[in-house]
Amino acid sequence: MSPVLSIENYRLEYRSSGTAFRALDDVSLTIGPGEVLGLVGESGSGKSSLAAAIMRLLPPNSREGGGTIRFQGEDLRAMGPRQLRSVRGRRIAMVFQDPSSALNPTLTLGRQVSEVLETHRGLTPPEARAEALAMLRHVEIKDPEALFARYPHEASGGEKQRVVIAAAFACHPELVLLDEPTTALDVLTGARILELVRRLRAQIGMAGLYISHDLALVSRVADRIAVIRGGRIVEEQPAATIFRNPRHPYTRLLAEAAPRPDRRLTTDEAGAEPLLGLDSLSVRYDRRGVFRRRAATGAENVSFTIREREVLGVIGESGSGKSSLARALAGLVRFEGTIRFTGRSVKGPGAMDRAYRRAVQIVFQSPDSSLNPRQRVREILARPLKMFGGNVAEIPRLLDEVRLAPNYAARYPHELSGGEKQRVAIARAFAARPRLVICDEITAALDVSMQASVIELLLALRAAHDTAYLFITHDLNLIAEVAHRVAVMYRGRLVDLLPVAQLREGDVHPYTGALIAASPLPVTA
Amino acid sequence: MSAGWFARRVLLIGYTLLVVSLVVFAVTEILPADAAVVILGQNATPAALAAVRARLGLNDPAWLQYWHWLWPALHGNFGISMRTDQPVGPEMFAALGRSLLLAAGAIFLMLVVAIPLGLAAALGRGRSIDLLAGLISYLGVSLPEFVTATLLLMIFADRLGWLPATGYVPLTQNPLAGLSHLALPALTVALVLIAHVSRMLRSEMIDVLASEYVRAARLKGLPWRIVIFRHALRNALLPVITVVALDVGYVLGGIIVVEEIFAIPGIGRALIVAIEARDLPAIQAAAVIMAATYAGVNFLADIAYALLDKRIRYE
């Protein structure tokens, strides 16, 4: 059978102010009819450039080198604007990473599906509306009539992604490009979207290119997997075998770095002594108006105890209250209830003395916004050292502990990579010699290989300093690897608190059960 | 838009206008003019002046005078003109009507030119059309009205003779003549504003064209005009509304010069005449009416913004 898409020896460069960057280097790929190819790579690997090249929507500073891109035997590169318009959206459709930015904020959701039908199938507006409603029903929207008239800001992330998918599948395309379609969504919503994609694929039988950074996830949806690194395809093999038998060292690294629940990275036990406890801690956010006050709840009556040297994982979807909890503990928001710490009761941020603030440190998700861009690493680290009785001479030792060379002290944050910035943020937390470090989704913005090295670093620091961690993440597999116990947050409440080993034993809150079911296990069998 | 928001905005506007009326009253009170002298002339006898002062209540304490002025003013009654002996209110509202017509014409002309200009500049970014659009905009904004007005008069009234130079004809009397009399003054005001809107639209449009949802629209294979007009322009125009509302304020001020040049009996001209004649009730009325119009237009702009941008909810 002739392939739906075949790319041969394709090259692409980006040029900016005289320098050229090779984004895609001699890329060859084929996708057969009804086949889904997974394209796995980390940020900057060129996977999104490849999607842009197939859709023929490259940025102005790109220069294409040699090579062909053929779709059903036709040369996409030779097509003019008119021909491309008849291919895009009709024969090749795309599902985007973030539905919130891919949908037009001033058009109704229904309109954004029906316009595709009007354009490509020549339907009249009423016909297109009826067809779009049918399509929305097809992607399991509960009340299509109501959703049709709503605007993007009035719908949930999952609903929006379903609308994007409905628009993509509306004309029964021959090929669908899926660019990280679940990355911007909650774990549970993402799992449901993935299920929907699988079902549509079985019904429509289209070919697909599934782009993702997550090897474990892709191995569950794709037939074959191509691994891309630095613009080159380094390995290609069936999804069923890639985890078991990665051939290229980079694939091996990715497979090794993917969090797996059947592997433990933390091997020792937590201490027996309690370190810090919460007694019915609540965080409420007031929105003050002239005429009324409304309170939004961040966290409600949360109680638990962290022991010495314990890694306590906290999991929950966005808005579940896990970050509110972190902020309350770090003294960044007002809270009700009590924090017990070394035999004292802390009733609010104002009651946190220097000893508490020194002992409890926090590392944030994005080092880009938590590191002052106008300070050198030296200044960033000197502040906590001076505040908590350290010595500026310790800076080289701190840098060494997070595996950065001493000359990094003179650099600014923008001169560092994402992983290096997060190491500086970790060093800043450890400058205070803390007893507890709150890690608020600190690896969420990092690639898997980078995540693995940051996790390894955290565990090494814990071994050296006997630090306890409150480890907040949305990745249950990661928690299963590193935490002693897991706290599950749902709608501001703590619904489960149990040892990690008991996670798979079944006696859990329904929400925890759903999370376990939604966490992708790599295909290793 | 909740009823609460609406009520709060109306209250706020009322408060603003109260402050404006206080300032206007205070300023006109301290003007170096004695109303009695203005009415009776320099040679009036002290007894006659005292009688007029008593009749006008000029001997009352300031707050009482303010109240005696404010309360009827709230009902549209701004007193009797010292110049014409006619009630000020009806005259001012009629003048306001003529000015608003001119302002509406100016805003309309401005939008008709500025939107295509901004759009063309954004689509042809960095090319000659962009430079040309920039040149036109900046020329318009940097020339003062009396210069553009003179240039326009020279070309269209004097050289070509297409349009009348000055004067005003009510639209109800002769629509064609009315419009032709409005054309040059409206164009003069519009030229200054083109830069605001076209530059704003250009930069908004460039941002929107780079957005993910416009990319998505193109990848849906939609025709070019739908991508530009339905997906991009709609979103790029939203912030422009705010600029237009601010411009209306500018127009109400800028119109004073233009009305004077083209001899249009609008509120700006009425204000100048009133100041020259030291006609206190007329000055007060004109100032307060202009402030109220400005506040009202901004209120309308907020409402329009909320109606067009579905994400905005005033609570």
Side-chain angles (χ1 to χ4, degrees), chain A residues 57-68:
Chain A
L57 203 60
L58 290 162
N61 66 335
S62 60
R63 298 281 177 282
E64 295 184 280
T68 54

Side-chain angles (χ1 to χ4, degrees), chain A residues 469-483:
Chain A
Y469 290 125
L470 187 73
F471 194 85
I472 299 172
T473 176
H474 56 267
D475 187 342
L476 194 63
N477 289 342
L478 186 57
I479 282 197
E481 280 188 333
V482 300

Side-chain angles (χ1 to χ4, degrees), chain A residues 371-422:
Chain A
L371 298 181
N372 187 337
R374 294 181 187 282
Q375 285 186 341
R376 292 171 194 274
V377 170
R378 184 193 301 129
E379 297 158 274
I380 291 171
L381 298 179
R383 167 68 64 87
L385 282 174
K386 284 177 192 159
M387 267 185 79
F388 298 116
N391 189 327
V392 183
E394 291 176 54
I395 286 175
R397 179 189 59 78
L398 271 175
L399 286 174
D400 183 54
E401 277 201 324
V402 296
R403 291 163 207 169
L404 293 174
N407 62 1
Y408 274 66
R411 297 200 189 177
Y412 285 101
H414 73 262
E415 296 171 306
L416 309 178
S417 74
E420 288 169 342
K421 277 184 262 194
Q422 201 58 292

Side-chain angles (χ1 to χ4, degrees), chain A residues 235 237 241-248:
Chain A
E235 171 159 7
Q237 65 163 301
T241 56
I242 197 157
F243 253 95
R244 201 166 4 126
N245 186 24
R247 282 193 296 267
H248 192 276

Side-chain angles (χ1 to χ4, degrees), chain A residues 55 57 85 88-89 94 96 101-107 111-112 115-116 119-120 151 153-154 291, chain B residues 2 8 212-213 215-216 218-224 226 230-231 234-235 238 308 310-311 313 315:
Chain A
M55 295 306 281
L57 203 60
R85 275 204 300 277
R88 288 180 190 150
M94 185 146 181
F96 306 88
S101 56
L103 289 170
N104 191 322
T106 56
L107 293 176
R111 188 86 193 90
Q112 303 191 48
E115 65 179 1
V116 181
T119 300
H120 291 305
Y151 288 87
H153 71 275
E154 298 168 319
F291 286 91
Chain B
S2 67
R8 244 174 305 148
E212 192 66 17
Y213 58 82
R215 197 176 128 83
R218 292 180 67 185
L219 291 181
K220 280 174 172 176
L222 299 177
W224 183 84
I226 289 188
R230 185 188 295 164
H231 284 269
R234 219 180 149 94
N235 284 286
L238 281 173
L308 289 170
K310 308 297 177 186
R311 285 166 298 183
R313 295 243 186 84
E315 283 171 352

Side-chain angles (χ1 to χ4, degrees), chain B residues 92-102 168 267:
Chain B
M92 283 299 164
F93 283 117
L96 176 69
R98 293 188 281 269
S99 289
L100 286 181
L101 192 65
L102 173 55
Y168 176 82
I267 193 148

Side-chain angles (χ1 to χ4, degrees), chain A residues 490-503:
Chain A
Y490 181 59
R491 298 192 175 167
R493 290 173 189 280
L494 179 69
V495 294
D496 259 330
L497 179 62
L498 50 137
V500 163
Q502 281 174 26
L503 264 180

